[in-house]
Amino acid sequence: MDFDALFTQQLDALKEEGNYRIFAEMERKCGSFPKADNYGPDGKREVTVWCSNDYLGMGHHPKVVNAMMETTLACGTGAGGTRNISGTAHQHILLERELADLHGKDAALVFSSGYVSNWTTLSVLGARLPGAVILSDALNHASMIEGIRHSRADKVIWKHNDPEDLNRKLAAVPADRPKIVAFESVYSMDGDIAPIAEICDVAEFHGAMTYIDEVHAVGMYGPRGGGVAEEQGLMDRITLIEGTLGKAFGTFGGYITGSAPLIDFVRSFASGFIFTTALPPAVAAAATASIKHLKVSQLERARQRRQVGLLRRMLEERGIPHMPNPSHIIPVMIGDPVKCRMISDMLMDDWGIYVQPINYPTVPKGTERLRITPGPLHSDDDIAYLVEALNSLWQRCAIARAVA
C-alpha cells in the first residue's frame, strides 16, 4: 500500500480548502521585540511580529534573560530526568512556591507545557474520581477536550459562557456523582471572558469542583498578574487554577495550583507528569523571575492596555471589522480561508508585517481571521503602519468594511 499517496491526498484536499498551514521561519532578536528576522526565499529580512503570545515581551526582559543565563552557567542545560528520577531541581520548588503564592493556593505543580498540564490533569481527575462527570464549556481548548476524552469519564458540554445552561446540565447529574466544571477565563480566538462569578455560583450550588484555564490571562490581569479570577477577587472560589509560563510570562511550561491534597493527587497519579522529563532549571528560574517582576510591576500591563485601545480605535476609524471583546486579543475578521491566507502573505511580503491567518479547524468555517495581539513594545508608529497596511489591503482585496 502506498501510504505516502494516502497522506498526500488528504494534504492536497487541505490545500484546496485554503486551510493548509504554512509556518513562517522566524528568529527573535533579544532586545528588539517585536522586531524579528524572517527567513524567506529571498534571504533574511526584518519584520514586525503582531501575533505573538509573548503578550508583554517578558521573553526579552533583562531580569528574565539574566536569570536563565545565570542558572544555565550554574546548573547546566537539562533537568537530568523526570521529577521522580533525578529531575527535581531547587529551581522547580521555588517556581512552584511562587505560583502557589500568585494564585493564593496551597500548592502548585509544573508541567512541560500548558497543553500537557490541561491534558494530564483533566485526564487523571476524570479517570480516578469514581463516577466523575466533567462539564465542559463548548469552546474549551483542544488540550482540555483531549484530556476529558482520555479520562473516559462522562462528559457534558454546556453552552459557551452560559451559566443558565450549566445549571440545567448540572441539575441533571445525580447529586452523589463527582462533578467537575471546566472552562477558560479568556478564550483565545474570540477574546471573550467567562462570567466566572456566575459559573462559581452554579457550581457551588451543585457541589461541583471548578477548573479554570487562565493561560491567556496570567500575567495580564489582576494587580499581581494572577489572571481574571484575581482581577475579580474570585481565586478563592476556584478549586483548580491552570496556567502557562509560555505566554505573558515569556518562558515555557504549564502548571496547576490548588489545595495540597489536590496537587499531590495529580503529582502521584498523572502519567503525563510522572513519565516526562522535567523543565530545565534555567527555564524554571527565568519563569520565577518573570512572575516576581509582574507581581509588582504595573508598567507592562498598563502600556499593553493602552496599545490595545489605540489599535481598536484606529481600526474602527478605517472600518476594519474586528470582533469586540474586553480582552487584549483583537480578531480582525475576514471570513474566507483563501483571502485570509492571501492577506497574511501580502502583509508579510509587501509590508513586513507578520500575522498568521487563523482558519478552520481552529475557528469555525466562515469566521477566518487575523488574530492580532498588541503589546507594550509595539510603538504608536508600528500601530499606524499596521492599520495603513490593513486599510490598503481591504481596498485591494475588496473586503467588506464594518458599518459604524
Side-chain angles (χ1 to χ4, degrees):
M1 181 175 287
D2 188 348
F3 286 101
D4 281 350
L6 296 176
F7 301 148
T8 301
Q9 182 181 9
Q10 294 197 38
L11 289 169
D12 288 343
L14 196 64
K15 291 175 182 177
E16 290 176 8
E17 294 170 358
N19 291 321
Y20 181 74
R21 297 168 190 256
I22 299 170
F23 298 159
E25 184 180 349
M26 308 292 292
E27 184 174 22
R28 287 155 60 95
K29 299 189 292 183
C30 190
S32 299
F33 189 75
K35 306 300 180 183
D37 286 334
N38 169 235
Y39 290 80
D42 299 323
K44 182 177 74 171
R45 62 172 182 150
E46 186 179 79
V47 299
T48 304
V49 179
W50 280 100
C51 53
S52 175
N53 284 343
D54 187 355
Y55 293 132
L56 300 176
M58 293 301 295
H60 300 259
H61 195 284
K63 290 181 181 178
V64 180
V65 173
N66 289 336
M68 182 173 285
M69 292 174 59
E70 291 168 4
T71 308
T72 299
L73 292 174
C75 301
T77 56
T82 66
R83 290 283 293 272
N84 181 53
I85 302 177
S86 80
T88 294
H90 179 58
Q91 289 79 10
H92 295 133
I93 304 303
L94 295 179
L95 173 58
E96 287 168 348
R97 289 174 184 168
E98 202 68 45
L99 288 164
D101 174 77
L102 176 67
H103 294 292
K105 300 297 184 185
D106 296 336
L109 192 65
V110 174
F111 295 79
S112 55
S113 73
Y115 192 105
V116 173
S117 56
N118 263 335
W119 184 92
T120 299
T121 304
L122 284 167
S123 176
V124 73
L125 288 172
R128 295 199 66 93
L129 293 177
V133 180
I134 303 179
L135 297 99
S136 177
D137 184 284
L139 294 187
N140 274 344
H141 189 263
S143 58
M144 303 174 78
I145 295 168
E146 288 295 327
I148 295 167
R149 181 182 295 125
H150 186 74
S151 76
R152 298 186 179 178
D154 288 342
K155 176 181 70 174
V156 176
I157 298 175
W158 48 287
K159 294 178 183 177
H160 177 54
N161 279 351
D162 189 338
E164 292 183 4
D165 188 57
L166 173 62
N167 184 53
R168 288 190 291 269
K169 299 290 173 59
L170 277 168
V173 179
D176 60 347
R177 296 187 66 179
K179 295 172 280 291
I180 303 166
V181 175
F183 62 106
E184 302 180 40
S185 58
V186 178
Y187 287 83
S188 63
M189 288 301 113
D190 289 353
D192 54 335
I193 293 178
I196 300 174
E198 290 84 351
I199 290 170
C200 288
D201 289 343
V202 172
E204 289 165 2
F205 180 80
H206 292 280
M209 169 182 171
T210 45
Y211 180 114
I212 190 169
D213 174 327
E214 288 252 43
V215 297
H216 292 278
V218 291
M220 303 293 292
Y221 301 90
R224 300 199 309 160
V228 179
E230 185 198 25
E231 184 175 70
Q232 298 180 2
L234 299 169
M235 289 194 298
D236 61 317
R237 297 181 65 185
I238 305 292
T239 313
L240 186 152
I241 298 175
E242 186 266 351
T244 186
L245 307 169
K247 293 184 171 59
F249 292 130
T251 59
F252 187 76
Y255 65 88
I256 58 171
T257 65
S259 69
L262 169 57
I263 299 305
D264 197 21
F265 174 83
V266 176
R267 183 193 70 88
S268 299
F269 292 109
S271 62
F273 173 79
I274 295 169
F275 297 110
T276 191
T277 301
L279 285 183
V283 173
T288 302
S290 182
I291 295 163
K292 283 184 173 181
H293 176 80
L294 289 174
K295 280 181 176 178
V296 297
S297 174
Q298 302 300 324
L299 178 66
E300 292 82 7
R301 286 187 285 271
R303 171 75 178 175
Q304 194 268 350
R305 287 192 293 270
R306 178 193 181 278
Q307 300 311 83
V308 169
L310 176 61
L311 178 55
R312 284 193 181 277
R313 289 193 297 274
M314 294 185 72
L315 290 173
E316 288 167 4
E317 290 170 1
R318 299 297 183 95
I320 306 297
H322 59 284
M323 188 177 291
N325 63 53
S327 78
H328 58 282
I329 295 165
I330 302 180
V332 171
M333 307 305 293
I334 295 172
D336 178 273
V338 175
K339 285 187 176 181
C340 197
R341 173 82 261 174
M342 179 176 63
I343 288 175
S344 172
D345 289 343
M346 288 190 291
L347 284 169
M348 179 72 98
D349 295 340
D350 301 338
W351 296 82
I353 290 171
Y354 173 51
V355 54
Q356 278 286 66
I358 306 295
N359 290 345
Y360 178 85
T362 305
V363 295
K365 292 181 179 180
T367 68
E368 292 81 7
R369 66 197 67 180
L370 302 175
R371 179 183 178 274
I372 298 175
T373 52
L377 301 179
H378 287 105
S379 69
D380 290 4
D381 287 343
D382 289 335
I383 291 173
Y385 184 71
L386 171 64
V387 174
E388 179 188 353
L390 290 171
N391 185 61
S392 174
L393 293 178
W394 245 248
Q395 292 174 333
R396 180 174 169 184
C397 300
I399 300 174
R401 294 184 182 264
V403 178

